[in-house]
Amino acid sequence: MIEFKNIEINYGNFAAIRNLNLEVKEGEFFTLLGPSGCGKTTTLRSLVGFVTPTSGSIFVKGADITNVPVEKREISMVFQNYALFPTMNVYENIAFGLRVKKMTKKQIDDEVRDIADKVDLNDEQLMKKVSELSGGQQQRVAIARALVLKPSILVMDEPLSNLDASLRVQLRKELKRIQKAFGITTIYVTHDQEEALTLSDRIAVFNKGIVEQAGTPYDIYNYSATEFVCNFIGDINKLAQPVLEKINLQSAKPFDLKKAAYVRTERVHTALKDTGKDFIQLKAKVVDIEYFGLYTKYAFDIDGAVIKNIEKEDGMTIYSIGDELDLYLHSSDIMQF
Amino acid sequence: MNVVDKIKGQLSSKKLIGIIIGIFLTWFIVAFLVYPNLNLLKLTFFADGRLSLEPFQKLLHSSRALKSLLHSVVLAVSLVVTVNIVGIFLVLVTDYFDIRGAKLLRLGYMTTLIYSGIVLVSGYKFIYGDHGVITNFLVQLFPSLDVTWFKGYWAVLFVMTFAVTSNHVIFLSNAIQKVDYQTIESARNMGASTFYILRRVVFPVLKPTIFAVTILLFLTGLGAVSAPIVLGGRDFQTINPMILSFGQSVTSRDMAALLAIILGVFTLLLLTVMRKIEKGGHYVSISKVKSELKKQKINNKLANAIVHAIAYLLFLIYVMPVIIIVLFSFSDSYSITTSTLSWNHFTFDNYAKLFTQASDFKPYLVSIVYSAVSAVIVVILTLVVARILHKYNHKLSTVLEYAMLIPWLLPSTLIALGLIITYDSPKLIILNNVLTGTVWILLIGYVIVQIPFTLRLLRAAFFSIDHSLEDASKNLGAGTFYTLRRVLLPIIFPSIMAVLALNFNGHLADYDLAVFLYHPLFEPLGIVIKNSSTDQVSVDAKAMVFVYSVILMIISSLTLYLVYGRKAK
């Protein structure tokens, strides 16, 4: 459906995107994930047409759109701040693109009311000024305005970043519902890993203008391809050399001491019913406790090195600072780069 | 395929419009912003084709010219002192200290905003002048008092001090509102007294603003026109009245030009200093939660009483001319001649005459047409430029911006003189037309002097628009002009209307530029009001000036309310 081929985007001497090659399938919810300044928004804007690649080509359904003007691409965008026109009411905002297309009043009215219904905006809200809407309602207007044009592709640039935490979670579900209902190919930009993992069919993790890994949320999380990806996604422990030496004493397959080794915090266990094969046992002492309600994060000292784990709040496992205990981790959960 | 079709094929309509706009702007900048001023320099120093310092020699031998230069500097320096004293006092009274009736006082102090320039000077002259209300009152107290006491340096300084303090107050008032109240509370918490806090905590925050307004004050003093012309008398003339006087004779035009250039150099130097001060930055509160300034009580009872007394005395000085102008506009010729007020002499005749006699309404009509047409032209012109600056960020747009800001660096006298001297004979750049002595030259002058202010406001309006709105419009399929018409212009529409209103209002009673450029058959209001401020005119003409002034005050008040008042709510 969408193909970025050998895309390079430079701003003067600064390379914003380097040799980008990506494919997005039809109907997919594809997320560009990465820290600020990694090139994810630049990639998105090059697809929409606000940025022209220095070299390379972008294809949509096999057609090269690299030099097609923004207004001719038929790719609708939902902006980070929604970019709703403040001088128009909700109805006029949604109708804007249809008016540009010179549709009849009747057609415009039908289309606007139809899309408003689908995104749960009622007649009263349609006549309101955009400034009178809540953040969530504004987002629905922005989505309606984008979808009413029946684009082949919908792109969203961090559309949840302006909202508070609880509304973000609620609207995440809404976004997923709307995307599935319309079956529209969606490219989504975010720096929030939780958003990316919960929403996406596939994710591309960006770092300094290159794609470090593209894959399903499960693969990205469990089989991180690079040290950057494993550090960026989730909560992780970097294993210090003395700890790795101890692990090597017990592990069937020794780890390379010269390479960085990581294990996710939830894969460090304080108790196991069945230690099973390849579980490594390490003597540790509790040095710090952070209570989060749903879970507790513990920091353990192992011969001067610190390892963290999380324990679900089940009302059973409670440790105190200074407690000595055994930690268990499986050799297959250790990632090396 | 003919040539036109070929060209059409090569140029899209967008490019064609771009080229036409580019050619027009280049012509306008060269013809009206650059060439007249360079020509003035050329005619002054290169009259015979080689560098000549003769105008300097003439200037050094002219005691009138040298005196006017000295008077201007003296006036500017004096004004800096008096306006800062009065201005800071007014701000402290209305915004910082807890003074009874502060809102009413503020309203009184702001009255000079609704009748500035020649209207204000004429108003003050009517009260304090030879047969003025105050003069009559003083003569009753001191029969030996010279009735012509209100003229010369002190009269000019007195009127200008009160005339320009309102602007000073607006700047300082904004600055004082930015003082973080928590810094005052913390100073008090550490044992500091009211006046110690004022000196050590509040004043340092105001210092950059005071510096900036001081420079503007100095420029105002140097460039004074109305006050020295009306009140200066023979012994106290400053640069601009002298330029006007020299400019009227062909033999002394070079002296007028040199004086205008000297004024221009002063302006350039001082504005450069001001830019440096502005670049130095203002103090910004570092508080995460800034708290609003609360008014400070003056605990010392005597000090409190003195401050209240001075505040109300100043209030009287400010409001008296307004009240007297309004009252006398409803008075008959007897009242005006004798400067006495009585119910028996109350009349609506003056107002009736304005709207029934064409000759009385004509100056209004002339000024309204000039102000309205120039305001519209300048807004259209600067809208185009502001959009170019907003859309394109390259060297050419920077050059365009600087070129359009040229009038900001030059005194209006210099601009006027440049236009008069350059376009007094047919010039190819304006298609072999002559402008001097025509009705067009004043219109062009108004357009030129309004450009910098208008451009700064409209540019700021364009740049305050969120970029993503334009992106969104394009993403929804709209082209450049559709986006401009349907998305961008509606957003900046309030700014456009505000600047239109302010420009219209600003030139309605203009005298300073009109005196150089007006057409004798189409005298604008400012000229008529100035001519009526002399004793030689008929009492009917004087009565009409009161009516003109009152209507101007109403228009100004409405404009200011529409632009600022509603925003403040």
Side-chain angles (χ1 to χ4, degrees), chain B residues 434-467:
Chain B
V434 173
L435 285 178
T436 308
T438 68
V439 289
W440 304 109
I441 195 162
L442 181 58
L443 182 69
I444 292 168
Y446 281 163
V447 170
I448 292 172
V449 297
Q450 286 170 359
I451 289 172
F453 168 71
T454 315
L455 183 62
R456 285 176 79 149
L457 276 188
L458 292 184
R459 185 185 180 280
F462 264 119
F463 277 84
S464 68
I465 300 174
D466 183 352
H467 266 294

Side-chain angles (χ1 to χ4, degrees), chain B residues 190-232:
Chain B
M190 288 183 269
S193 70
T194 305
F195 286 98
Y196 188 84
I197 293 170
L198 183 65
R199 188 163 57 85
R200 295 298 304 270
V201 179
V202 179
F203 271 145
V205 179
L206 302 182
K207 223 160 62 181
T209 310
I210 293 176
F211 273 133
V213 291
T214 294
I215 286 169
L216 289 176
L217 275 176
F218 199 87
L219 284 174
T220 310
L222 282 182
V225 184
S226 317
I229 283 182
V230 175
L231 299 168

